[in-house]
Amino acid sequence: MTTVREIATNIGVAPSTVSRALSGSSRISEQVRDRVLREARRLGYGRGRSVPRVGAVTLGVAFLNKYAWPQFTGYDSLILAGMVRGAREARSDVTFVDLQQRLHGESYRSFLAGRGVHGLILRVDDETHGVAIDIAKDGVDIAVIADRYDEPDVNFACCCSRNAAQDVVQHLIGLGHRRIGFCRNNVLDRDHRDRLDGYRAALEVAGIEVDDQLHISRPADVAGGAAALNAFLSNAAPPTAIFFTDPLMTVGGLRRAVELGVHVPNELSIVGVDDGDDTRQMTYPIYTAVCQRSADLGVQAARWLARTCGGDQSSERPLRLVLEAYLEVNQSTAPPPAQPVRMTSHGQRIS
């Protein structure tokens, strides 16, 4: 078992200095603190059951993806609910952390320790993907939700929807569709890249050339889905089926189809995504969906991180949890019409 004295001897400081660094005391310099924390992490200090943490574990939660804060609708609200459940099961506390309050030059480890946070759960997108790597390098125990990493110190829990996305596009191809629209969130993250990869893979297997005019991005909300449907149907050669990669966009597309008098699925097939709150069951027709259990990501990440920060040696490290999404075929798909529906940009039907 690693001791405070062993850490102190290895880096040439007094045991009291090590104790102050580990407790988050402000009475030592950041340079010394970082040396202590790096050595403690290297030696695995605090991982054994014989080194209990004083008091309850507090998990910090930071949403660094563009569209989460402060709405917390859909996917992110499900993840957050899962985090709270997982932390409660592990008898831990959860608190929100604003990393922008970190002082210039202040380490992440020191910043979090000063707020009584023992581990951090992160939600990122492509723009903030690297922040998790920086925090892990600083010696902080973290778990990232909805992304994947090769770095051994970056733990993660995510859903993989690539295969299910390929399945849903192959389902449409099997019905006879050849022009299939694809609409994704205009802020890329791992989930939407997985779905784009699955879409392209299905077309490639079927020998269908990817048409860039059938791949668009819009905000991941109801209005974005409606705008996407307008764009697709005003195309000179409109699609006969559309894959929306977000639940709210799917709902927006279905609603806009009703407003335009386009019958789903006889005149247009629509498929989408359901993050686990049964959105697909709330539309008419019930839409065919790539389904994933988003709340489980929050549960598993929080449960694992709480046990790890609490010194539970049985917690597998690193965390590499990948839950596979699955296809559910419902009522929103059918063979393509003899002639695709085409609209003007103002919503007037041409064909």
Side-chain angles (χ1 to χ4, degrees):
M1 179 184 71
T2 302
T3 65
V4 167
R5 186 172 298 279
E6 182 179 354
I7 297 171
T9 300
N10 285 359
I11 62 175
V13 299
S16 59
T17 299
V18 174
S19 296
R20 291 190 188 102
L22 295 175
S23 66
S25 171
S26 60
R27 295 171 59 189
I28 62 173
S29 69
E30 283 298 318
Q31 182 179 7
V32 173
R33 186 195 314 280
D34 289 345
R35 286 176 58 205
V36 170
L37 295 178
R38 282 197 298 269
E39 183 65 11
R41 187 174 185 84
R42 186 184 72 81
L43 296 175
Y45 177 81
R47 298 295 181 202
R49 294 178 182 274
S50 59
V51 189
R53 184 180 293 282
V54 177
V57 168
T58 297
L59 303 180
V61 175
F63 281 79
L64 304 183
N65 55 319
K66 186 174 182 179
Y67 281 106
W69 185 267
Q71 294 92 349
F72 288 110
T73 57
Y75 185 58
D76 289 306
S77 66
L78 291 168
I79 288 175
L80 182 59
M83 291 179 195
V84 173
R85 176 183 157 196
R88 180 181 299 170
E89 290 178 0
R91 300 181 180 276
S92 300
D93 298 322
V94 175
T95 185
F96 283 102
V97 175
D98 183 1
L99 296 178
Q100 292 184 351
Q101 295 183 14
R102 185 171 62 100
L103 299 177
H104 178 70
E106 182 180 18
S107 70
Y108 287 105
R109 181 70 180 244
S110 177
F111 172 77
L112 295 171
R115 286 157 177 74
V117 173
H118 305 114
L120 189 62
I121 302 176
L122 288 168
R123 168 86 164 95
V124 301
D125 55 28
D126 276 13
E127 294 181 8
T128 53
H129 176 90
V131 176
I133 299 172
D134 293 337
I135 295 174
K137 287 180 178 177
D138 220 358
V140 179
D141 284 321
I142 67 170
V144 179
I145 289 185
D147 207 343
R148 298 190 289 274
Y149 290 80
D150 295 325
E151 289 76 9
D153 288 336
V154 183
N155 308 284
F156 63 80
C158 69
C159 287
C160 181
S161 52
R162 183 195 183 283
N163 292 337
Q166 183 171 349
D167 289 343
V168 77
V169 177
Q170 287 176 335
H171 165 67
L172 293 170
I173 293 170
L175 290 172
H177 295 276
R178 290 298 179 269
R179 290 189 61 76
I180 302 170
F182 180 88
C183 181
R184 63 164 177 84
N185 189 349
N186 58 0
V187 176
L188 267 177
D189 58 16
R190 175 68 67 176
D191 285 337
H192 291 272
R193 281 190 284 114
D194 278 349
R195 292 160 198 167
L196 178 57
D197 289 346
Y199 167 78
R200 287 174 170 166
L203 295 183
E204 182 179 354
V205 169
I208 301 174
E209 185 176 352
V210 176
D211 184 344
D212 290 339
Q213 292 188 4
L214 295 182
H215 172 199
I216 64 176
S217 61
R218 292 291 186 274
D221 53 28
V222 172
L229 191 83
N230 289 340
F232 280 128
L233 297 188
S234 61
N235 192 302
T240 57
I242 301 172
F243 178 16
F244 291 98
T245 65
D246 177 88
L248 290 181
M249 285 197 297
T250 310
V251 171
L254 286 166
R255 190 180 75 176
R256 184 58 177 158
V258 171
E259 293 171 347
L260 294 173
V262 178
H263 189 278
V264 176
N266 292 343
E267 293 184 308
L268 178 69
S269 290
I270 289 180
V271 299
V273 171
D274 192 317
D275 288 328
D277 55 358
D278 294 333
T279 301
R280 64 192 184 281
Q281 299 290 338
M282 303 175 194
T283 64
Y284 183 82
I286 299 171
Y287 67 85
T288 292
V290 171
C291 304
Q292 57 187 16
R293 305 186 305 277
S294 307
D296 286 355
L297 299 179
V299 172
Q300 297 291 345
R303 184 187 293 158
W304 176 88
L305 189 59
R307 290 174 177 170
T308 297
C309 292
D312 187 344
Q313 205 170 32
S314 66
S315 292
E316 182 179 350
R317 190 176 182 92
L319 176 66
R320 294 287 186 269
L321 176 65
V322 179
L323 302 179
E324 285 289 336
Y326 60 94
L327 169 62
E328 183 180 287
V329 177
N330 289 308
Q331 302 166 354
S332 65
T333 56
Q339 185 174 353
V341 175
R342 189 178 172 210
M343 297 277 183
T344 68
S345 59
H346 300 292
Q348 296 177 323
R349 191 162 184 151
I350 299 175
S351 61

